[in-house]
Amino acid sequence: MKSEHGDPMKNVLIIGGGLAGCTAARTLSGFDIPSVILESSPSLGGKVRQFGCKSGSSCSQCGVCAAGNLWDEVERDENITILLDSSLIDLRKEACGFSAYIKSGSDFIEKSFSDIVLANGFLDYASNAKTALDMDRSESILTGMDLERALYRRTASELFAEPPKKVAYVLCFGSRSVKEKANYCSRVCCGYSTRSAKVIRHYYPECEITFFYMDMQTTNALSAFMQDMNEPGIRFIRCRPARITVNGNDPEIIYEDSGVLARETFDKVILCGGIHPNSDNVTLSDLTGLRVDENGFLEYVKPPEKTHVYLAGCVSGPKSIRETVAEARDVGLRIAQISEQDGILA
Ligand SMILES: Cc1cc2nc3c(=O)[nH]c(=O)nc-3n(C[C@H](O)[C@H](O)[C@H](O)COP(=O)(O)OP(=O)(O)OC[C@H]3O[C@@H](n4cnc5c(N)ncnc54)[C@H](O)[C@@H]3O)c2cc1C
Ligand code: SF4
Ligand code: SF4
């Protein structure tokens, strides 16, 4: 692929239409570089599009509104082609770029690209996986994603259909656990759980909230938030629950307290699932030559400017919304070979 000036023409294949993929596509479009977003699901937006604002009486800086009108902008952008329900079947290196073989719905497409961006995100582990925690299922046991959807749907007067009196958060659910093959911190769940707890207290000031935790991340922002939450009706219990059963419809948590097994019933239990590697990473590693790291995320083997394969967002490990946006913009800029220092971008 050469332009009339003999320069290689840019045309980028982006795998994944979540926050990272859409941000990279819009950044590229700012340089008039066309891209194709390949999204495996029926809609754009990934996880963040399902998230709600976590403001109670004031903004908690959760970052969700950083996405702004991104999805609409991508859908309207003439430089961006969106292929939904689509997957990458094969990728071959060519003299100048790549030839990609794509399945889109029931069609097969073969197309050439100059660069590839892997932005296929992460696995919503808490909703999908069988867990090492011995646990019954109930509508009153929510995952972090369920709670995000409730925040998205909330009205001015109501977050849950029934006002809860006692809510428990189980932090580090599926993270920092050798059994769950995720011996790392997912980095975002302390933040979203403490913020959403504030929203619950905003709606239901009498609701008692208990955090079961291993230990919290020690960022200044979070320490400040925990101090802020240090008020009557909020408890922090440092232990990993042994079992969650269901009493009628109410979840009961069995946990160890000072060497003795304690049982406690709650109206709602929230499993704060973290960020687990996407199961497609192994296939994508085979197709692109990138490496799968010890936790299952993808990592570079060589500088991406040499291989023309880039990583953006949680495909390479846990990241917040702001970190995802920053990295995806950087990838777009690197592909356009223009740095922020050149002063070309605002
Ligand atoms: C419960 C929960 C709450 C969170 N709350 C916050 C918060 O309040 N603030 C914050 O800063 N961060 C939060 N995060 C982190 C936030 O979700 C991530 O930063 C963000 O989703 C990363 O975006 P992404 O595009 O990398 O991944 P994703 O959102 O996972 O998007 C990836 C996209 O790629 C698609 N895809 C996957 N595999 C393929 C494939 N093989 N081919 C094509 N498409 C594919 C997926 O369908 C999806 O659309 C939270 C995380 C969780 C789990
Ligand atoms: S979405 Fe998050 S950052 Fe935006 S206003 Fe709500 S709480 Fe604040
Ligand atoms: S961010 Fe918090 S809840 Fe999530 S794994 Fe790390 S310490 Fe546990």
Side-chain angles (χ1 to χ4, degrees):
M1 279 186 301
K2 300 265 181 181
S3 73
E4 56 188 8
H5 310 295
D7 300 328
M9 291 265 287
K10 299 280 184 192
N11 179 21
V12 181
L13 175 63
I14 299 174
I15 314 284
L19 181 65
C22 289
T23 304
R26 282 288 292 162
T27 306
L28 289 164
S29 178
F31 296 95
D32 255 338
I33 297 175
S35 64
V36 173
I37 296 180
L38 199 77
E39 167 57 48
S40 56
S41 79
S43 58
L44 281 184
K47 318 286 186 301
V48 174
R49 201 170 189 177
Q50 304 168 51
F51 290 177
C53 166
K54 294 176 202 72
S55 70
S57 46
S58 60
C59 169
S60 65
Q61 302 289 330
C62 74
V64 168
C65 57
N69 295 326
L70 181 63
W71 330 117
D72 294 341
E73 288 166 10
V74 167
E75 275 158 5
R76 282 198 306 264
D77 195 320
E78 290 182 354
N79 280 323
I80 303 173
T81 305
I82 302 165
L83 298 177
L84 301 175
D85 286 319
S86 300
S87 55
L88 181 65
I89 304 293
D90 198 10
L91 188 70
R92 265 167 285 138
K93 188 92 185 86
E94 290 182 329
C96 196
F98 301 87
S99 177
Y101 194 51
I102 294 165
K103 183 169 187 297
S104 183
S106 52
D107 298 333
F108 289 91
I109 302 164
E110 195 163 6
K111 193 166 164 53
S112 294
F113 295 94
S114 62
D115 301 82
I116 311 292
V117 177
L118 298 180
N120 50 299
F122 64 96
L123 186 72
D124 169 21
Y125 169 83
S127 308
N128 292 311
K130 286 202 161 72
T131 137
L133 176 64
D134 191 3
M135 197 180 82
D136 292 340
R137 299 277 168 186
S138 150
E139 279 181 7
S140 303
I141 302 177
L142 309 180
T143 64
M145 285 300 296
D146 293 332
L147 182 60
E148 289 287 352
R149 291 184 201 105
L151 287 162
Y152 182 80
R153 289 191 305 261
R154 67 176 158 145
T155 64
S157 60
E158 194 176 277
L159 174 61
F160 301 121
E162 287 283 320
K165 293 196 180 70
K166 277 181 81 178
V167 171
Y169 280 81
V170 180
L171 298 178
C172 304
F173 182 74
S175 296
R176 301 170 69 198
S177 158
V178 178
K179 268 190 192 166
E180 308 280 5
K181 299 193 180 74
N183 202 15
Y184 55 86
C185 169
S186 285
R187 298 189 50 231
V188 296
C189 14
C190 273
Y192 78 67
S193 56
T194 44
R195 287 181 178 112
S196 59
K198 272 253 164 193
V199 180
I200 293 178
R201 293 273 283 189
H202 174 72
Y203 280 85
Y204 315 108
E206 303 302 316
C207 181
E208 286 176 20
I209 296 186
T210 305
F211 292 96
F212 289 90
Y213 75 107
M214 285 168 68
D215 56 56
M216 293 278 198
Q217 286 173 304
T218 49
T219 64
N220 290 339
L222 198 67
S223 315
F225 207 93
M226 276 183 74
Q227 271 175 12
D228 196 20
M229 296 222 68
N230 190 9
E231 53 186 77
I234 306 271
R235 278 191 304 166
F236 291 90
I237 298 180
R238 189 173 180 174
C239 79
R240 206 188 266 276
R243 180 158 159 66
I244 305 178
T245 55
V246 176
N247 236 340
N249 196 34
D250 292 337
E252 181 183 62
I253 298 190
I254 301 167
Y255 63 97
E256 200 189 298
D257 188 11
S258 314
V260 180
L261 272 192
R263 316 174 80 97
E264 200 169 331
T265 302
F266 296 89
D267 297 325
K268 288 204 186 299
V269 169
I270 294 150
L271 308 171
C272 298
I275 290 182
H276 280 234
N278 190 317
S279 50
D280 295 337
N281 285 354
V282 175
T283 312
L284 289 170
S285 144
D286 289 344
L287 290 175
T288 59
L290 298 195
R291 193 163 44 210
V292 180
D293 74 12
E294 72 276 15
N295 295 318
F297 296 103
L298 287 178
E299 65 181 8
Y300 292 122
V301 179
K302 292 182 190 158
E305 283 80 1
K306 288 205 160 57
T307 61
H308 296 273
V309 181
Y310 294 77
L311 293 170
C314 289
V315 60
S316 60
K319 283 183 194 70
S320 69
I321 289 171
R322 287 199 176 88
E323 289 166 333
T324 298
V325 168
E327 186 181 47
R329 279 193 187 141
D330 182 60
V331 161
L333 290 171
R334 286 162 86 175
I335 293 173
Q337 292 184 323
I338 295 170
S339 69
E340 275 172 312
Q341 285 92 334
D342 292 334
I344 291 170
L345 284 185

